[in-house]
Amino acid sequence: MEKHWEFFLAPYKQAVEELKVKLKGMRAQFEMQGVHSPIEFVTGRVKPIASILDKAQKKNIPLDQLEQQMQDIAGLRMMCQFVDDIKTVVQLLRQRNDFTIVEERDYITQKKESGYRSYHVVIRYPVQMIYGEKNILVEIQIRTLAMNFWATIEHSLNYKYSGNFPEDIKLRLQRAAEAAYLLDEEMSKIRFEIQEAQAVFSRKQELKESE
Ligand code: 0O2
C-alpha cells in the first residue's frame, strides 16, 4: 500500500478496532446479566481504497475532502434479532460519551428505493495518535439479521451488475426486501416466546458447562 494511503487510513483502522471492542463489550455486558442482548453481533471494516476512489468519483468528492465528506471510510455494523432492538441500540449509542453523534439516517421508516433498510448513525470519534488526537467520522449501521441478509445479497449482486440491475432482478430484490420485513414483523409478534426459549437454552448450556 502506498505510504500516503497507509498514513491516511491509520486512524480509521485504529477506530474500527477500538469500536469493535467497545460495541462487542456492550453485548458482553447484557450476556453477563443474563438478559436478552439487543446486539446479536458486531462487524467492522475500513473501506478498501478502490471503493473509496469509486465513491469519491460517483459523489464528486475531491480527494482532499475525503476526511470531511466521506462518512463511511470507517464502518461498523451492529446486528439485532428484532426491529425494536434497533431503537434500544441507538439509545445506548446516544448515551455514550466517548464519541458524538453528528447525523442519524433512518432507512427503516424511510426505506431506500432498492428496498434497503437500516438505521445509520454517523459519529465523530476521537482517536489518540502519537502526534495527538484525530477526530474522524465513522458510520455505524444498525439492522436486523433479516435486513442484513437482504443487504448482503443485494450488495454482492450490485457488484456483479455494477448497480445496473435488470428490471426483473430489481423487482425480485424489492419483493425480497418486503419479505424480509414481513419476517421481522412476524418474529416481533412472537418475540417473548423466542426470548423465553433462548433464556431456557442458555441456562441449560450454563448447567452443562458447570458439570
Ligand atoms: P460499502 O461497500 O457497503 O462500504 P449513497 O452511497 O449515495 O447511497 P451515502 O450518502 O454514502 O449514500 O450514505 P448512506 O446511504 O447512508 O450509506 C451508504 C452505505 O449504506 C453503503 O455503503 C451501504 O453500506 C449501505 N447502503 C445504502 N444503500 C444501500 C442499498 O441499496 N443496498 C445495500 N446493500 N447497501 C446500501 P457503500 O458506499 O455502498 O459501500
Side-chain angles (χ1 to χ4, degrees):
M1 195 196 299
E2 239 181 83
K3 264 279 172 262
H4 159 79
W5 277 109
E6 202 176 331
F7 279 119
F8 175 74
L9 293 176
Y12 293 93
K13 278 193 185 149
Q14 181 75 24
V16 168
E17 290 313 310
E18 288 180 12
L19 283 162
K20 273 202 285 190
V21 170
K22 290 179 177 191
L23 303 180
K24 285 180 184 180
M26 288 163 75
R27 179 190 155 90
Q29 289 177 51
F30 283 103
E31 268 187 343
M32 200 169 62
Q33 288 177 5
V35 294
H36 165 76
S37 168
I39 304 157
E40 185 63 11
F41 67 95
V42 176
T43 62
R45 62 100 185 96
V46 174
K47 212 177 187 60
I49 298 170
S51 310
I52 296 177
L53 292 171
D54 252 19
K55 189 163 183 170
Q57 200 180 19
K58 260 190 231 142
K59 302 200 111 194
N60 271 322
I61 302 175
L63 292 186
D64 60 1
Q65 286 295 307
L66 285 178
E67 208 176 299
Q68 294 79 6
Q69 292 184 33
M70 198 170 288
Q71 297 178 326
D72 65 342
I73 295 175
L76 277 296
R77 262 181 208 149
M78 303 176 80
M79 265 56 72
C80 310
Q81 288 187 345
F82 303 101
V83 181
D84 281 348
D85 291 336
I86 297 176
K87 277 188 217 132
T88 311
V89 171
V90 174
Q91 264 318 111
L92 287 166
L93 295 179
R94 289 185 189 138
Q95 280 165 21
R96 295 188 70 106
N97 54 21
D98 51 348
F99 51 73
T100 51
I101 294 180
V102 295
E103 208 177 321
E104 292 185 19
R105 285 194 287 275
D106 181 356
Y107 297 127
I108 295 175
T109 50
Q110 286 162 307
K111 62 164 185 188
K112 287 203 167 188
E113 201 219 330
S114 59
Y116 178 75
R117 283 187 171 93
S118 258
Y119 197 96
H120 292 191
V121 176
V122 180
I123 62 168
R124 190 171 295 285
Y125 183 74
V127 189
Q128 308 305 315
M129 304 300 285
I130 48 174
Y131 50 79
E133 184 173 283
K134 182 138 185 85
N135 279 283
I136 58 159
L137 294 173
V138 177
E139 185 178 80
I140 307 177
Q141 302 179 343
I142 307 136
R143 44 171 84 150
T144 62
L145 296 170
M147 292 171 193
N148 189 50
F149 173 54
W150 182 92
T152 308
I153 302 286
E154 198 260 5
H155 194 270
S156 45
L157 278 178
N158 218 323
Y159 192 74
K160 177 174 171 188
Y161 291 106
S162 324
N164 299 312
F165 289 120
E167 260 323 294
D168 60 325
I169 296 199
K170 195 171 155 188
L171 200 70
R172 279 202 191 277
L173 280 170
Q174 284 167 342
R175 280 162 51 183
E178 290 322 298
Y181 201 66
L182 210 65
L183 174 63
D184 274 335
E185 277 189 336
E186 291 301 319
M187 289 301 187
S188 291
K189 285 180 194 147
I190 51 167
R191 173 183 180 144
F192 293 103
E193 303 285 325
I194 298 170
Q195 278 172 219
E196 224 171 58
Q198 285 170 343
V200 171
F201 182 75
S202 66
R203 270 199 300 276
K204 273 194 184 151
Q205 285 292 103
E206 268 171 34
L207 276 175
K208 243 193 221 164
E209 276 159 26
S210 67
E211 271 169 15

